[in-house]
């Protein structure tokens, strides 16, 4: 359909790239907040010395005679233990998101470039039995592939999607027919015959 254009498909690929950049940005924001910006790379294991558990501290209080008393000691910073674990968890979570998003982005780039891979993806993923892969290559541009994926992932009846693909192939063979209106008519006829 005309409303699912190549511009929309490329926006989808752009959003895939944005997920990588956002995860990397989160790591940079955390490291800047902790003062690690210049001395540390986000792809190294995060330093934990920023979260010291023991620290020397001075406390001043008014003693029993009414005079100021200074005490020096070692303070335990229990919350830093929790902050350290939280920081390490978030660091590895964002690194995991970067890796998964990069794999997804590369897969989408391959699907944009290769019509044969799109056809093989549908045959492999959804168990379509077609006479030839070239039939799918002719009807599936990348925008139509994304539309098909959305329809298939939201459809409860796998038979309906298989019928849809076979109808699209048959209609494409008769090049003069407008696919959306003919598809709508054929599906209505099929529903009335069953």
């Amino acid at each position: 359909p005309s409303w699912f254009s190549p511009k929309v498909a490329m926006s989808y690929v752009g959003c895939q790239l944005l997920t990588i950049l956002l995860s990397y940005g989160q790591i940079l924001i955390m490291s800047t907040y902790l003062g690690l910006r210049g001395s540390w790379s986000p792809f190294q294991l995060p330093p934990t010395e920023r979260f010291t558990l023991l620290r020397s501290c001075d406390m001043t209080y008014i003693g029993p005679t009414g005079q100021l008393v200074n005490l020096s000691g070692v303070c335990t910073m229990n919350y830093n233990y929790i902050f350290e674990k939280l920081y390490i968890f978030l660091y590895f979570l964002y690194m995991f998101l970067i890796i998964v998003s990069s794999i997804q982005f590369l897969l989408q780039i391959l699907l944009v470039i290769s019509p044969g891979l799109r056809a093989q993806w549908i045959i492999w993923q959804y168990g379509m039995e077609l006479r030839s892969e070239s039939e799918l290559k002719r009807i599936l541009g990348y925008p139509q592939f994304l539309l098909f994926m959305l329809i298939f992932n939201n459809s409860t009846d796998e038979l309906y999607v298989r019928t849809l693909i076979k109808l699209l192939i048959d209609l494409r063979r008769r090049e003069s027919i407008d696919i959306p209106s003919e598809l709508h008519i054929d599906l209505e006829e099929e529903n009335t015959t069953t």
Side-chain angles (χ1 to χ4, degrees), residues 56-144:
S56 66
C57 53
D58 296 324
M59 293 182 282
T60 304
Y61 68 96
I62 299 174
T65 60
Q67 298 216 350
L68 291 177
V69 177
N70 287 329
L71 280 181
S72 292
V74 177
C75 297
T76 305
M77 310 202 44
N78 294 330
Y79 285 115
N80 274 359
Y81 180 76
I82 296 169
F83 294 151
E84 176 187 2
K85 301 307 176 208
L86 184 63
Y87 175 72
I88 290 175
F89 171 76
L90 287 174
Y91 172 80
F92 284 114
L93 176 70
Y94 287 129
M95 289 307 288
F96 175 75
L97 288 174
I98 287 173
I99 291 167
V100 170
S101 298
S102 297
I103 292 169
Q104 176 67 18
F105 179 71
L106 291 175
L107 176 64
Q108 291 303 318
I109 292 297
L110 288 174
L111 288 171
V112 167
I113 294 170
S114 172
L117 183 60
R118 289 190 294 264
Q120 280 298 322
W121 183 271
I122 289 175
I123 292 168
W124 170 73
Q125 187 80 17
Y126 307 113
M128 298 289 179
E129 295 174 10
L130 301 170
R131 285 160 282 207
S132 77
E133 182 183 314
S134 63
E135 294 173 330
L136 268 178
K137 285 184 193 177
R138 282 188 285 143
I139 65 167
L140 283 181
Y142 184 68
Q144 291 79 20

Side-chain angles (χ1 to χ4, degrees), residues 3-13 146:
W3 54 268
F4 206 79
S5 65
K7 182 179 177 183
V8 173
M10 288 303 111
S11 296
Y12 177 76
V13 173
L146 284 180

Side-chain angles (χ1 to χ4, degrees), residues 157-193:
D157 187 10
E158 189 174 318
L159 182 62
Y160 171 75
V161 177
R162 288 175 191 252
T163 305
L164 176 68
I165 286 291
K166 291 187 185 207
L167 285 172
L168 284 172
I169 290 170
D170 291 340
L171 291 172
R172 187 61 165 198
R173 285 186 189 141
R174 296 184 257 155
E175 306 248 71
S176 63
I177 299 172
D178 182 28
I179 289 178
S181 62
E182 182 66 25
L183 180 62
H184 183 64
I185 292 168
D186 281 351
L187 287 176
E188 285 180 358
E189 290 172 4
E190 191 171 280
N191 287 338
T192 56
T193 58

